[in-house]
Amino acid sequence: MKRAFPIFAILTAGLLSYGLYGALIQAPTEQTMGDVQRIFYYHVPSAWTAFCLFFVNLVASIVYLVRRSPKVDALALASAEVGVVFCTVVLVTGPIWARPVWGIWWTWDLRLTLTLVLWLIYVSYLMLRRFSSSGQTPVMAAVLAALGALDVPLVYFSIWFFRTQHPQPVIGGGGSIDPRMLHVLLMNWLAFMCFAALVCWSRYRLEILRRQVEETQALESLLAGGSSR
Amino acid sequence: MTYLFAAYVATWVIHIAYLGHLARGYARLNREIEELNRKR
C-alpha cells in the first residue's frame, strides 16, 4: 500500500479535479434553481460517502466485538472519524443550498433532524474514544457504533416513507435526472470515495503507529522503573 | 453564485482542516519516536 499510495493520491487528485470541472462547467444548469443547484454535486456524494464510511465502521465494530483485533478497532475509529468529516460537509452545504431555495437556513424536517442526530451519535463515539480511559472503551465504542448505525437507514429512507421538505431521491425514487447530471454526480461520488479511502488509510496508519509508540513508552518506563530498584 | 462558491469553499476548508489535523498528528508522533530513539 505504501508504494501504491502516491499513485492512488495522484489518481484521486485527477478525479477530484475532473469532478469539480464537471460540477461547475460540464453539467447543465437546472431550470428552476439555476446555478445554486450545482451544490448537489458535492452535497449528495458527501452524504453517500459518509454512509459508506459509517457502514465500514459498523462492520469493523461487529468484527471487533467477535475477534477483539486491535487493527479492526483502529479501522473502526478511522472510518468513524472520516465519516464525521463527510457528514459535517453535508450539514454545512445543506443549509447553504437551502437558504436561496427554501428561504431558510434550517428547518426541523425529519431528514435534516435525523442527519444531525447521526452526526451527534458519531461525534459522541469519537468523544468516548478520546476521553474515556477505561480498558473497555473499544468494546463500549463498538456497541455504540452498532446501535448508532441504525440511524443510517432511517436517514436514507426518511424521504421515501414520510412527507418531508427535503427533495425526493434522485436515483430509485421515481424521479428522473438528466444523464449528464447523473454522470457528474457519479464521478464526484467516485472521487470522494477514493479521497475518503486515502484519508481513512492515513488515519488508520496514524492510529496503529500511535498505539505502537504508546506501548513502547509504557515498556520503556517499566524497564526504567525496574532498573532503578 | 455566492451560495454555490460558499458551499464549495466550505467543503474544501473542512477537508483541508482535517488533513492539517492529521499532519499535526503525524508530526507529534514523529517527535515522540525521535525522543524514544534518543533515550535508547
Side-chain angles (χ1 to χ4, degrees), chain A residues 30-99:
Chain A
E30 207 265 348
Q31 284 179 347
T32 48
M33 284 186 268
D35 278 329
V36 79
Q37 182 271 344
R38 294 176 194 274
I39 294 174
F40 164 81
Y41 302 111
Y42 265 33
H43 178 75
V44 177
S46 296
W48 290 349
T49 308
F51 291 160
C52 291
L53 287 161
F54 292 146
F55 180 71
V56 171
N57 172 262
L58 169 69
V59 173
S61 299
I62 292 169
V63 172
Y64 178 76
L65 287 173
V66 176
R67 293 193 185 166
R68 303 292 161 105
S69 158
K71 283 189 175 178
V72 175
D73 181 49
L75 176 65
L77 174 61
S79 55
E81 205 171 286
V82 182
V84 165
V85 172
F86 275 90
C87 200
T88 307
V89 169
V90 176
L91 286 170
V92 169
T93 54
I96 296 174
W97 189 5
R99 183 69 182 87

Side-chain angles (χ1 to χ4, degrees), chain A residues 76-145:
Chain A
L77 174 61
S79 55
E81 205 171 286
V82 182
V84 165
V85 172
F86 275 90
C87 200
T88 307
V89 169
V90 176
L91 286 170
V92 169
T93 54
I96 296 174
W97 189 5
R99 183 69 182 87
V101 176
W102 295 345
I104 44 169
W105 292 101
W106 182 267
T107 175
W108 294 103
D109 169 271
L110 191 64
R111 166 57 78 91
L112 276 67
T113 309
L114 285 173
T115 309
L116 180 64
V117 169
L118 182 71
W119 184 81
L120 288 170
I121 289 170
Y122 283 95
V123 167
S124 315
Y125 172 92
L126 296 177
M127 293 284 180
L128 173 71
R129 303 213 57 140
R130 176 75 180 79
F131 297 110
S132 171
S133 55
S134 160
Q136 291 295 306
T137 302
V139 177
M140 290 191 285
V143 173
L144 175 63

